Amino acid sequence: MSRVAIVGSGAVGCYYGARLAEAGHEVHFLMRRDYAVVAARGLRILSKDGDLHLERPHVARDSAAIGPVDWVICALKATGIEDARALVAPCVGASTRILVLMNGLGLEDRFAEWFGAERVFGGLAFTCINRGEPGTVHHIDYGPVTIGHLQDDPAEVHAGLALWAGAKVETVRAPSLLAGRWTKLCWNVPFNGLAVTAGGITTDRILADPALREAVTTLILEVAAAGNADLAAHGQTVRLDGPAIARNMVAATDAMAAYRPSTMIDFVEGLPMEVAAIFEEPLRRASALGVATPLLALVTGQMRALNARGR
Amino acid sequence: MSRVAIVGSGAVGCYYGARLAEAGHEVHFLMRRDYAVVAARGLRILSKDGDLHLERPHVARDSAAIGPVDWVICALKATGIEDARALVAPCVGASTRILVLMNGLGLEDRFAEWFGAERVFGGLAFTCINRGEPGTVHHIDYGPVTIGHLQDDPAEVHAGLALWAGAKVETVRAPSLLAGRWTKLCWNVPFNGLAVTAGGITTDRILADPALREAVTTLILEVAAAGNADLAAHGQTVRLDGPAIARNMVAATDAMAAYRPSTMIDFVEGLPMEVAAIFEEPLRRASALGVATPLLALVTGQMRALNARGR
């Protein structure tokens, strides 16, 4: 059993931390907003894979109170990346591994600068998890987590998957973390982007509008093309099959319940959105590599302007 | 001197009606919202081409009170097109001409169905005019009005220009009304569309964002390509020079003061936006003609979703 620190105990961090605790790991949740509620009443998961109530989870207001662990799972919002180093550092010992369970491109590179690339993993949660009332998380649909290692070291990827072996979480191996990140962007760019720029709508309404449905596919093809150029630039041989990804992701999202992507919730609630990691960094790489991504550019500009409202 | 009815006395209708009255024409304003204020205090124009105060303009609450005129200038919002027939009909006699001074594609065709194509003109106001307090209109920048005839009859275009000969309004002849409409869309699609979908921003902020600035040009090229296919389908030989239009419109808009396009004002005020005439009809024609317009499709879908909010 491992000692695990969840840094960033939002909906995603709480959900996966709870599943690890359920499997017997010693899981410590770093909490700010919900500390008092969870300390008093525990953490409640309402999930299609079975509900769960952790009556007395380990909660901490401060990473130093947790100290070094086997695994840090960093599930901060990407907008908080500049705070991540200070929040994670007290939990990092000589043999600590760090799983970056966040949205967007380039975040693992920051952790590698701070803590060394050999201990950095990326987790890609293709899942629908939303916060409920404080201390409650709704796991709505889907659920596999793709796990990769920043250096794509097979033994390390194996260790990354092993953590989840006894937990009620389906995991998938990412032979290339970079390819996994770009694949995840193939969903986040169109669905997070259009859910916001069409005024705060759910995924089903995006796909019900013929023009937005067409834009989803076009955006996926652009992101896949940019991803393939980036993979080539990194000397990797794996490539994304854009048309197949578009077909599969549209079909999968059609089959999902109406979903509010996290960025759309941030938008509706007036919170900072993950524009840099999900939109600007992919666009920056596409432009640097000479890949034409006109729809990505448009949505990035819209997201940037919307993110600046009232700030 | 002509008898003129302004149907739809918003900012644009009031401005041009006032300029015709100033030139000595007998101008009747059909008014709803501002009737009482204008009847009591007159109509005030604040303009870079000279301020103007019509102390006792002819105002009417009902088109029947105006009766047949030489010229109807219909300056309704395009969202009110279904009401236009009933509002205009009482002003149409045997020799009445109708100038459709509205945004968007296909509106003149509706007037042609109702009243006969030979009397229908289109006016394209490349101008910045906003409502101020009731009874006051701000004419901010630019000003030429392009005048065309639905059948492109040169004698009729001449008559259309003659109306404005003594007025403080610069006019431009449109040899092809259809080409004029598509040219106007080259501005309205990107600037009205992005001003709304980027959250309600002014034209200067669109052009200050590198990604949105790029999207402006891409949208203009798409609209021009669709326009050229539409012109060909209508047997016309004139074509739009998309790259030149893009350069000129971006430069002209850079030179303008920060401007709130009418659709953006509607958006911010929660009013219905001119989505059908400015976005959906151009996209419908592009699709029918097999012209790829992916950015136009995206913005149209976004505008449609935003227009449906709360309705």
Side-chain angles (χ1 to χ4, degrees), chain A residues 161-241:
Chain A
L161 294 168
L163 171 67
W164 303 89
K168 208 178 275 182
V169 172
E170 185 190 347
T171 51
V172 175
R173 174 194 189 84
S176 158
L177 179 60
L178 189 60
R181 280 285 167 213
W182 278 103
T183 304
K184 181 87 162 58
L185 288 169
C186 284
W187 196 90
N188 285 129
V189 166
F191 288 104
N192 293 40
L194 299 183
V196 170
T197 56
I201 63 176
T202 45
T203 51
D204 58 317
R205 289 188 51 205
I206 295 171
L207 291 173
D209 183 288
L212 295 180
R213 191 179 179 92
E214 178 189 325
V216 166
T217 290
T218 311
L219 280 165
I220 291 175
L221 296 177
E222 287 185 4
V223 172
N228 285 337
D230 196 35
L231 287 163
H234 281 81
Q236 299 205 13
T237 54
V238 64
R239 293 294 178 270
L240 308 187
D241 180 347

Side-chain angles (χ1 to χ4, degrees), chain A residues 194 197-199 201 205 209-212 214-215 218 283 293-295 297-302 304-306 308-309, chain B residues 194 197-199 201 205 209-212 214-215 218 283 293-295 297-302 304-306 308-309:
Chain A
L194 299 183
T197 56
I201 63 176
R205 289 188 51 205
D209 183 288
L212 295 180
E214 178 189 325
T218 311
L283 177 62
T293 54
L295 266 75
L298 170 55
V299 174
T300 300
Q302 293 171 325
R304 188 158 46 213
L306 291 168
R309 291 182 315 168
Chain B
L194 299 185
T197 57
I201 62 176
R205 289 189 50 206
D209 183 289
L212 296 180
E214 177 189 325
T218 311
L283 176 62
T293 54
L295 267 75
L298 170 55
V299 175
T300 300
Q302 293 170 327
R304 188 158 47 213
L306 290 167
R309 289 182 318 169

Side-chain angles (χ1 to χ4, degrees), chain B residues 7-113:
Chain B
V7 174
S9 301
V12 167
C14 283
Y15 178 75
Y16 291 105
R19 288 298 183 200
L20 289 174
E22 180 185 34
H25 296 287
E26 179 189 322
V27 179
H28 297 260
F29 296 88
L30 179 68
M31 290 205 160
R32 285 176 283 201
R33 233 181 346 178
D34 293 348
Y35 176 87
V37 169
V38 174
R41 304 208 299 259
L43 184 59
R44 191 174 294 276
I45 307 293
L46 304 175
S47 168
K48 67 170 197 64
D49 293 336
D51 294 351
L52 173 63
H53 184 206
L54 296 186
E55 291 186 20
R56 300 193 64 82
H58 303 284
V59 290
R61 289 181 189 275
D62 185 332
S63 320
I66 302 172
V69 293
D70 299 310
W71 278 95
V72 172
I73 298 180
C74 185
L76 292 168
K77 241 174 90 176
T79 51
I81 185 65
E82 298 308 329
D83 301 326
R85 181 180 193 166
L87 292 172
V88 166
C91 301
V92 176
S95 62
T96 302
R97 293 180 170 104
I98 303 169
L99 176 66
V100 181
L101 193 64
M102 301 167 68
N103 276 327
L105 197 62
L107 301 174
E108 289 91 356
D109 300 325
R110 305 298 304 281
F111 286 88
E113 291 166 26

